[in-house]
Amino acid sequence: IIDYIKEEFLKKNLLLLSNEYANEKSKLAFKCKNGHYGEIAWNYFQQGGGCQQCYRKSRFREGNPRWNKNKTDTQRINDRKYREYLQWRKKVLQRDDYTCQKCWLKKKKYLTAHHIYNYMEHKDIRLEVDNGLTLCDSCHEHFHNTYGYTNNNYMQLFMYLNKEGG
């Protein structure tokens, strides 16, 4: 069976380094065509898994089926669809333990990393984690309905967070 698995890995440009197969959930070591080393379970590999490092690099680049070649880098930044922004968002949510800092909702699906000093007007600090705060979608919308989308600042956020009932 290990020879069959090696052939399957080669089809995805992965060199299988493991010489033994224990079961479908045990990790198999490999090296990809770009020189990355990794491990993957056979069942995950069969579901389409591969080199995680290559996947992360290609997620928002050419070669991704969702890549829009007609967009400029400026449009990507304005749309907030680039690697550094997504990393910033993740760091803010992690720091706040995936919890809305207004109503204390704890559902990852409904959370937003809110910019204290708004994104478009403060390019120099837009990716600083200290310029972000986790709000649920409802509280985030309520904040912007109250204070607008421009000239946002720390004092507005402080007042919003400390205001009773909304």
Side-chain angles (χ1 to χ4, degrees):
I1 189 154
I2 195 73
D3 290 332
Y4 170 74
I5 292 172
K6 283 183 181 183
E7 288 177 27
E8 293 300 307
F9 269 68
L10 284 174
K11 289 178 185 176
K12 287 190 178 180
N13 293 313
L14 300 173
L15 176 63
L16 183 65
L17 302 175
S18 297
N19 291 316
E20 294 179 19
Y21 170 78
N23 60 51
E24 63 183 19
K25 293 183 180 180
S26 64
K27 300 279 184 163
L28 298 166
F30 67 86
K31 180 180 176 183
C32 79
K33 66 179 181 177
N34 294 316
H36 305 135
Y37 289 89
E39 290 184 327
I40 189 169
W42 175 240
N43 63 346
Y44 183 67
F45 176 85
Q46 290 178 301
Q47 295 171 18
C51 178
Q52 287 296 306
Q53 292 179 61
C54 290
Y55 170 74
R56 281 188 213 107
K57 284 185 177 183
S58 70
R59 236 171 105 192
F60 296 100
R61 300 281 181 233
E62 293 179 54
N64 183 312
R66 294 177 12 197
W67 177 262
N68 183 343
K69 65 181 180 200
N70 299 319
K71 282 192 172 187
T72 65
D73 286 341
T74 301
Q75 287 171 313
R76 287 181 220 296
I77 289 169
N78 289 340
D79 292 347
R80 304 175 196 202
K81 302 236 174 164
Y82 60 104
R83 181 176 289 116
E84 294 81 6
Y85 176 80
L86 296 172
Q87 289 170 344
W88 171 84
R89 180 183 184 282
K90 183 178 179 181
K91 287 177 186 175
V92 170
L93 296 175
Q94 283 176 335
R95 181 203 59 209
D96 295 340
D97 194 30
Y98 297 92
T99 303
C100 176
Q101 299 301 292
K102 173 67 175 168
C103 72
W104 307 109
L105 179 76
K106 253 186 120 56
K107 291 188 177 181
K108 289 183 184 183
K109 185 176 180 181
Y110 301 104
L111 297 176
T112 299
H114 169 75
H115 283 88
I116 298 167
Y117 293 93
N118 60 301
Y119 181 85
M120 296 305 282
E121 294 172 339
H122 298 277
K123 295 176 183 177
D124 56 326
I125 60 170
R126 67 170 45 150
L127 297 177
E128 289 184 16
V129 176
D130 289 341
N131 186 39
L133 186 85
T134 302
L135 293 175
C136 69
D137 293 346
S138 178
C139 289
H140 188 238
E141 183 180 345
H142 187 257
F143 174 88
H144 284 299
N145 287 341
T146 303
Y147 295 102
Y149 289 87
T150 59
N151 299 314
N152 298 133
N153 59 56
Y154 180 78
M155 186 53 72
Q156 291 171 339
L157 184 63
F158 179 81
M159 289 174 17
Y160 179 71
L161 292 176
N162 291 294
K163 182 179 172 185
E164 292 292 324

